[in-house]
Every structure is written in C-alpha cells, then in structure tokens.
Amino acid sequence: MPFNKGGIRIIIVLVFFGALLLSFVVASVVRSTNTVNFCASCHEMRVFYETWNVSPHGKAEKGVIKAKCADCHLPQKDVLTYLTAKAFYGVNDIGAHFVKKKVDWIAKWEGREEHVHEAYESGCKKCHKDLTAPGIPIKAFLAHRAYELGETRKTCISCHKHVGHGDLVYAIRSRMKI
Amino acid sequence: MQYGKLYKIATFIMILTILFCTPANAEKKKLGFPNLSEKKFEIKRGFTQEALKCIDCHSKKTPGIVAAWKSSRMAHAGVSCFDCHVVKKSSPMASQCEGVRREMPDIYTSPMVSPKTCERCHPSEVEQFSKSAHAKLAGAPVIEKKKFQKLMYYAEGGQFAGIPEGDPRTIATRQSGCQMCHGFEVKLRKDNRPTDDSWPAGIGTRYPDGGIGNCTVCHNRHQFSIAQARKPEACAKCHIGPDHPNIEIYYESHHGQVYLTSGEDWKWDSAADAWEPGDYIAPTCATCHMSGIGDLSTTHNVTERLKWDLVHGKSVIRSGERGDGEKGRELMKKVCNNCHSKIHINNHFAKLDRAVKLYNFYYDEAQKMLKDLKARGLLKKDKWKDPFQELNYYLWHHVGRRARHGAAMDGPDYAHWHGFFQLFQVFKDMQDIYEWRIKNNKIEPLSPVMSSAPY
C-alpha cells in the first residue's frame, strides 16, 4: 500500500478545498466577465453597448428592468448549458477579436446572410413568464395567442426585433459614415 | 314699467350678441356651410399620445380612412395607425408626412404596410398565405418572367407599333392591369416613398422590407373586415373575366344561387374557425378554399385544398411549390362532407376529373401539332401574328380554363358554352391551319382568323 489511511484523508481534504477554491475562482470569473462593462470593453461591442444603453432594457424606465448582455445572449435553461455557451462564445469572441474578423451585421440583420440570432428565448422567458397575463392590452393578448398555443415557430425577437438594440442598423450605418 | 321694458330689450340684445359672437358661428360664416366630413375625436384611453396625434390629424386630413378604421376590429383591439405604419429610421421605407415631421420628428412612417408587419400579430395566417400561390408565385409573371414582360411592354405597351422603349406609355398596361392583380416589386423614390408606377399593387406585391404579399387585397383597408373577405366579391376583383370567370361560375352554380338569393340574411362575422354551416346555407369561395369547417381548420393557403393545377397549359396533379394534390383532394372532400352525401361528392369529382382528362387530350394533341410545325419551320417568329399560336394560347388560357373551372365549381354554362363548345372549334381551326401549312409547306400570308375565343 503506497498510502496509509492518514495520507488518503489528507488528499481528500486537499481535493475538497482545492475544488472549493476553484469553484470560487470560476464563479468570480463568470461574475466579472458577465458585466456590461466587460462586454463593452472590446471595441467591436461598442455599437451594441451604445444601442442597448438607449433601448428599453438599457434605459430601464417605466418599470422595465435592466437586462444585461448575458441575460439575453446566453441560454438561461440550466447551469451546464449556460456555462458551455459562455465558454464557447468567450473563446469565439476573443478569437474573432485577435484575428480582426469582419462581420457584416447589416447583411445578417436584413437576412442577406445566413445567421442564427444568438439571443435566447430562455432569456426573455426568465422574466416574461406569462405573455397573456390578465390586464394586458387586448392587442398584445391577441398577438401572443398563436405563440402561446404553439401555432407558430416565430420567436420573441421575430416580432420584437428592436427590443435589445433599437435601430441597430441605423446606428451601424451612421458609424460607417463617420 | 319702463325699466322692465328696457331690461327686456337689453337682455334680448345680449342674447343676440352672444349668439353671433361665438367662435362656432364665426367658423360657419367663413365656410358658408358646416364641414360634415370633418370629425373631431376625443379619445382618451387605450392609445399612446403619439398614436392619438396620428388619429387626430388624420381624422381631419383623411377622414375616410379614420372613418373606416374606427368601425374595424383593429380599432376595438386598440390597434391604430401607429402600430402598422411606424417603422424604424433605418427601414428602407421610412419617410415622414408633414405632420409627423412637425410634431414627432424622431418618428418615421411608411404608407406601405407589408406582411412582415401583419405577421407580428397574425403569424399563422401570414405563414400559410406565404406558402400559397397568392404570394411569391402570384407576382412571378409580372416581376420575373421574360415572356410576360415582352407581352406587357413590347406588345401591349405599343413598342411594336413605334412607341420607343422606356416611354412611360409602355408601362401603362402593366400598371393598370397586370400589376393590380398579380402585384409588382415596389420601387422607391429618393424620399423612400413609392414611385408613381410601382405601388399600389395586387396580392403578390414585393415590398422593400422583404415582405411578399398584400393582405389588404381581400381584407380591404382600413376595416380589414373578416365578413368582407368571406364574401365572394372579395375574390372577384381578380377572379373574373374571360381567362378565369370564377365569380361568374360561382354565381351560376347552386352555391351562388343560394348566396344571391339569401346571402344577405347569413351571419358573416362569426369568429375565425367558428364560421360553420348554419351561419350560411351555401358556401362562398372562402368557405371551401380557406375556412375552418367541420374537421378542418382555417387556412390562408388557398391552394391547399386543390388536386389539379387548372391554370397552366397541361393540367397536372399539384406537387412541389404548388402543393400536394392528392392530399388537397381529400381535404376538399372533407369540406363537401359537411353538406353532401358521399355519392354526391364522388360523382362531382368524377365529373371534374373526366373534364380535366378531356381537356388534357385536346391540349396534348395541340402541342403535338405545334411541335411539328416548329420542327418544319412553319411557325411565325411573332406568336401574336400567327393564328395557330394565338389559337393555341386561347385554347388553354381562356377556353380551356373556362371548361376546367366550370367543371370544378359547377358552372355548366362555362363548362359547356364558354368552354368545351368553343374548345373543339378552336381545335378544329388549329387542325385546318396545321394541315394547310403541312400541305403547302408555307405559312398563310394573313391571319385568316383571330377569334379571341368569345365569352
């Protein structure tokens, strides 16, 4: 036997505290990289930050809550999918930053380029739990009926296209002119 | 006594003064008569301040629009000008009317509203509609097909007779005819408003925001009435005339007879999917081709319940982008089932299938002759100067459709007198021309016959 009983105990205790320390570090990194300021620290994200800042979820007026980048742009289903997506996009975005990848956001927005919009329904639904809640205007009730009944494949942002970043296309175009 | 009299006179003068000095009277005096068309709304609930500004201004500027809208379900549901006409500044269709520019300079609007807007509240309807022949396929001839463009601009537009290419007169027939049913591609001026020739247009309109289709063809603006769209006249703007007399066939059918004699007593505004026999005694176009009836739910795909493609040359069972014909027949039988026995339904479709097969025989034989003449160089280059080719066109496009559609929707006069009775004669004329050309190995110098296949 290479280890005696005492040695195993010490190893278990060390692994336990090591794991605890690692989880604190991970949590702290997740937390610190989840802030709006962190996302906006890359210049590629500047236009998204600025447009978000004046959109409903950025301004957060009249009872609207402030939804930060990661609230919408990461899946909110469970911890595993959340962390996997976060790791994936983290690496992806840093890679794109360093290779100076050019993205034609307007072409994507206008459907001229294949594009999966990476804002997640689960993010919207975390807060917008009941779309036909009592007291909502009748037009909103009617508009959400087909969605609630599962009669359409449309997602929240198919109709609420401008909710996150307002007139993003206009903002990008004006920056290009400057 | 004297004071009393003076008092009375003074009061009288005062009343007169008040009467003549009120602003209302001043206004009346200026106009000479009251403006009855001008309605001032005082709506205090349900709309944002911006939306109210639109309603208020347009109730004066375009009272007809506001009058139609206020009686609509849209208005009852709180949907106003603002919900459909406001667009983002970056929209290719973004412009501003004088009032918006003055009162709300940050807001942009568009006079055009595409299905992309409608689908925000009616996603299923627009999705079904988009799969139907009423959307992209409807606009295709006018927008995409070279053959059709030659007909519109070169032939009908008078270029062949000397009007120069690009002359505004050459688009007159497209704008007043073709595009008003088929739709057109909206072109924009510098101020993002539509050019004076490309909008309004019909059901297959293609909008600059990518939307394809025009919902207001059947749900006329600004009432968007479900009752209106259920009446056969909603379809009759386009489904009429010598090439596809669908409304005429319907009026002639038993269904149409019952509609014409008792339709005014029917219930037209039942909720979607709940408009069932009993609300009506006979079906309209919408009942069979679209409505929720019995087991079937409502569909905005008007081609979904069809077996045959009865609009093109050869009649084939629908497939691919034109639908699933075999399934379509089963669906249509389910519609009939609500009012007819099995034997009645089967016999009707046996009649239709026989008529289609007879028509296809004539069509195939005609194409054989055409092919043969082409191989021998006995066709004129300009088909509109060549009686054989003209007759061939009328054979399928006018006469042949009347025969087929008459059989499909039970209009015997159209199936027979406007249909097969003329079909065999057009065919005989084609045979004679064919035989003469083969025998003489040349094309006859003048067009001996130009029957437009009377109707």
Side-chain angles (χ1 to χ4, degrees), chain B residues 50-62:
Chain B
E50 288 87 356
L52 284 175
K53 275 183 189 165
C54 299
I55 299 169
D56 184 45
C57 186
H58 278 275
S59 64
K60 294 181 202 107
K61 299 271 182 200
T62 55

Side-chain angles (χ1 to χ4, degrees), chain B residues 238-250 252-253 289 306 308-312 315 318 348 351-352 355-356 359 396-416 418-420:
Chain B
C238 297
H239 291 270
I240 190 171
D243 56 336
H244 42 44
N246 303 133
I247 188 67
E248 295 92 329
I249 290 167
Y250 174 78
E252 198 208 351
S253 74
H289 294 287
L306 300 178
W308 295 103
D309 171 356
L310 300 181
V311 293
H312 293 97
S315 286
R318 286 176 177 269
H348 168 76
K351 170 182 72 186
L352 170 59
V356 171
Y359 161 80
W396 69 268
H397 194 271
H398 283 49
V399 190
R401 278 196 197 152
R402 298 200 293 251
R404 290 175 282 171
H405 294 190
M409 295 181 292
D410 203 15
D413 199 54
Y414 290 88
H416 181 248
H418 303 288
F420 285 115

Side-chain angles (χ1 to χ4, degrees), chain B residues 19 55 104 124 127 131 166 199 222 242 256 275 280 315 320 337 348 395 397 405 422:
Chain B
L19 268 178
I55 299 169
M104 307 179 272
S124 316
E127 196 186 332
K131 285 186 202 150
W199 182 87
H222 279 93
W275 190 51
Y280 45 82
S315 286
N337 217 14
H348 168 76
L395 177 95
H397 194 271
H405 294 190
Q422 289 177 12

